[in-house]
Amino acid sequence: QVQLVESGGGLVQAGGSLRLSCTASGFTFRLYVMGWFRQAPGKEREFVAGTRWSDGRTYYVERMKGRFTISRDNAKRTVYLQMNSLQPEDTAVYYCAATMNGDIYNYSEYYLWGQGTQVTVSS
C-alpha cells in the first residue's frame, strides 16, 4: 500500500521547536522528491521545504530558511522537518508529499500526500 504517514505535530509556545516526521511505504522512494507543505485556514497550501531522496539536495522557501531544516533517513524511509523559533503565523496543517518530477515548489506537481499533522503555535 502506497502511503505517507506524518507525525510530530502538536501545540507549542512561540519560540519553541517541533520535529515532524514523514514515513514512506509502498513505493520506490529513492526515485522521488519529497516536499513539506503547509496550509493555514483560509489560505492556499504553500511549499515549505523539499529534498531529493537520491542525493539529499534540499530546497527551501527563502523566508523559512534558517528556521526550518529538512533531512532524510534512507534506512528508515523517513523525511524530517525540524522547525525552530516557531511563531503563531506558522500555525497550519503540515503535509508531506512525493513526486517524481515537475516543479518541486508547486503543490500541484505532487501526487502522493500524507494525511497532514496539525501544528499550533501559541503566542
Side-chain angles (χ1 to χ4, degrees):
Q1 182 182 4
V2 175
Q3 207 171 10
L4 295 174
V5 178
E6 301 107 330
S7 62
L11 174 64
V12 64
Q13 288 188 333
S17 298
L18 283 174
R19 188 177 79 158
L20 306 183
S21 301
C22 172
T23 300
S25 61
F27 61 99
T28 309
F29 64 94
R30 284 189 174 83
L31 300 179
Y32 284 75
V33 169
M34 300 297 295
W36 282 101
F37 292 80
R38 69 184 187 183
Q39 188 165 20
K43 294 188 177 180
E44 281 197 4
R45 192 166 297 190
E46 64 173 343
F47 177 82
V48 175
T51 187
R52 295 186 183 276
W53 279 112
S54 58
D55 59 11
R57 186 175 177 182
T58 57
Y59 306 82
Y60 295 94
V61 172
E62 191 61 32
R63 60 188 171 84
M64 298 180 196
K65 204 172 182 179
R67 290 197 303 127
F68 291 6
T69 303
I70 190 170
S71 62
R72 81 205 195 289
D73 184 327
N74 286 356
K76 295 182 178 179
R77 302 171 64 100
T78 299
V79 175
Y80 303 98
L81 184 68
Q82 178 67 42
M83 305 185 295
N84 299 326
S85 301
L86 284 163
Q87 299 301 316
E89 53 265 33
D90 295 315
T91 295
V93 177
Y94 285 70
Y95 300 89
C96 72
T99 185
M100 289 187 72
N101 47 48
D103 180 0
I104 194 171
Y105 296 93
N106 187 346
Y107 71 85
S108 66
E109 299 285 355
Y110 290 75
Y111 44 87
L112 297 176
W113 288 88
Q115 81 284 359
T117 185
Q118 176 70 47
V119 171
T120 303
V121 184
S122 63
S123 57

